[in-house]
Amino acid sequence: MSGTGNGTEGGTGNGTEGTDGGRGRLGNVLSGLAVAVGCLLFLGGFAWAAVEYRPYAVPTNSMSPTVKAGDRVLAQRISGGDVRRGDVVVFSDKQWADMPMVKRVVGVGGDKVACCDADGRLTVNGKAVDEPYVKGMIGGRASTEDFDATVPQGQLFMLGDERSGSLDSRTHLADQAQGAVPRSAVDARVDALAWPLGTMIERPEGFAALPGGVSGPGPLRLLTAAVVLGALLILGGAAYGPVAGRLSRRPRARREAGEEVRG
């Protein structure tokens, strides 16, 4: 009889310990699930990024102020057929250099690219294009010298953002392709700076009004969010056990102290 009066000794009278045990088991299951999902997001995000992106070191200041010499950028692997005007791309062309180069696409096959109009702006098929990254150039002009070129089909016309010193399509205007390079020469499209991480390379609005518009951003923000969320879930799930154990010991100690006083 003495073991069933208030349930404190047998643990079956008020059911508090059984309830705490149930909550503890549920918490352990949820914390384990959080860690599992976190690992999936964390490792999956890194794996996806490794497949989708490649890091490159920018060798010169020809793309300043967008990217500077020594910057490391994250470039999404794409087909040359996916390139649009305004994209900053990594490409290889032996007529230009023996290393990968980073330039901005300002014209595609069939375009007539010229500079400069009365306001010093680049024109594509007679339409002026506002380029905020050239505002600091000499005289605010989109090119230090006037030029015009018709881009052959399947080719891309490239310019650096630092128009006063960049060796780009203007340097090769006397070539058969009038300075353009094949789409097949493109290896990747630059999405962001590797550091500080999350500094995205925005598509210039000046090209958006042209046929085909500008390309959309790659999945880098989504991948970064997956990795961060995964890390938080792993830390939160791993911390549950020690925190829950410490919190559960406090009411148990108070109950034991109360039993001793009543006894």
Side-chain angles (χ1 to χ4, degrees):
M1 296 294 292
S2 61
T4 58
N6 57 15
T8 57
E9 294 181 9
T12 60
N14 56 19
T16 54
E17 293 185 7
T19 303
D20 289 345
R23 286 199 298 266
R25 285 192 295 272
L26 178 61
N28 288 333
V29 169
L30 293 178
S31 66
L33 182 61
V35 171
V37 173
C39 288
L40 182 63
L41 289 172
F42 187 81
L43 298 177
F46 271 115
W48 187 8
V51 171
E52 195 78 15
Y53 286 92
R54 290 182 61 184
Y56 289 90
V58 178
T60 70
N61 273 318
S62 67
M63 282 299 296
S64 178
T66 305
V67 290
K68 301 177 177 62
D71 284 349
R72 294 190 67 84
V73 297
L74 295 176
Q76 183 185 12
R77 293 178 172 92
I78 62 168
S79 165
D82 296 329
V83 175
R84 298 186 183 180
R85 303 179 193 90
D87 286 345
V88 176
V89 298
V90 180
F91 68 99
S92 301
D93 191 310
K94 291 185 177 180
Q95 293 186 359
W96 287 44
D98 292 329
M99 66 179 71
M101 303 187 70
V102 180
K103 302 291 180 186
R104 189 182 297 276
V105 177
V106 299
V108 298
D111 284 348
K112 181 177 176 61
V113 182
C115 198
C116 300
D117 70 357
D119 295 319
R121 294 175 298 180
L122 182 79
T123 64
V124 179
N125 301 326
K127 183 176 179 59
V129 178
D130 287 319
E131 300 178 279
Y133 38 82
V134 302
K135 300 300 183 184
M137 299 299 106
I138 298 174
R141 287 169 53 88
S143 177
T144 51
E145 65 273 352
D146 292 343
F147 70 89
D148 66 83
T150 299
V151 187
Q153 293 295 331
Q155 307 270 326
L156 302 168
F157 198 85
M158 312 275 200
L159 294 180
D161 286 356
E162 206 292 287
R163 303 286 165 80
S164 62
S166 173
L167 300 178
D168 46 40
S169 289
R170 297 170 297 173
T171 311
H172 300 273
L173 287 173
D175 296 351
Q176 184 176 1
Q178 296 193 60
V181 300
R183 283 182 176 270
S184 59
V186 173
D187 299 316
R189 177 172 54 214
V190 177
D191 249 8
L193 295 178
W195 188 261
L197 187 62
T199 305
M200 303 298 292
I201 305 298
E202 301 296 337
R203 308 323 190 226
E205 290 296 327
F207 292 97
L210 296 172
V214 294
S215 62
L220 185 60
R221 283 196 174 102
L222 177 62
L223 295 176
T224 303
V227 169
V228 172
L229 178 59
L232 292 176
L233 287 173
I234 293 170
L235 292 174
Y240 171 80
V243 172
R246 179 174 297 180
L247 293 176
S248 66
R249 283 195 294 270
R250 292 179 180 177
R252 187 180 301 119
R254 286 197 295 268
R255 287 197 301 270
E256 291 174 353
E259 291 171 3
E260 293 176 358
V261 170
R262 286 198 300 273

